[in-house]
Amino acid sequence: QVQLVETGGGLVQAGGSLRLRCAASRTIFSGNVMGWYRQAPGKQREWVADISLGGSTNYADSVKGRFTISRDNAKSTVYLQMNDLKPEDTAVYYCNRPARFLSWGQGTQVTVSS
């Protein structure tokens, strides 16, 4: 059963932008904080941002001022708008439910060239 589907990654030049999308089931999404995570080659998976049902947000220091997380509760979808991308943002990006983690999805690859 597919529970989390991430899309929107790609190859972009430094300074560019991408918008990621995470689609989840209504049961998984409703009433829960949702978050974005990323994992670069040879590194630990790290938390990037999260958003509550009411829209309260938190960001890792590394992305503050550049990334914006949002959600559409009617569509059970969470987004990550990434601006001013840097090569160090290169990673596979995943979404999940931090209070009750699900199996990780395939993620979506973001590659930022210098």
Side-chain angles (χ1 to χ4, degrees), residues 44-59:
Q44 297 284 317
R45 197 193 311 270
E46 64 177 348
W47 167 77
V48 174
D50 58 49
I51 183 167
S52 72
L53 181 65
S56 178
T57 60
N58 297 289
Y59 298 93

Side-chain angles (χ1 to χ4, degrees), residues 7-9 12 15-22 36 38 48-51 57-59 62-71 77-85 89 93 108 110:
T7 57
V12 65
S17 298
L18 286 171
R19 191 187 192 199
L20 308 185
R21 170 178 174 149
C22 171
W36 282 98
R38 67 186 182 186
V48 174
D50 58 49
I51 183 167
T57 60
N58 297 289
Y59 298 93
S62 58
V63 306
K64 284 181 180 177
R66 300 188 298 118
F67 291 11
T68 302
I69 188 171
S70 61
R71 66 193 292 165
T77 301
V78 61
Y79 304 90
L80 186 68
Q81 178 66 47
M82 306 185 294
N83 298 325
D84 191 25
L85 283 161
D89 295 318
Y93 285 70
T108 186
V110 172

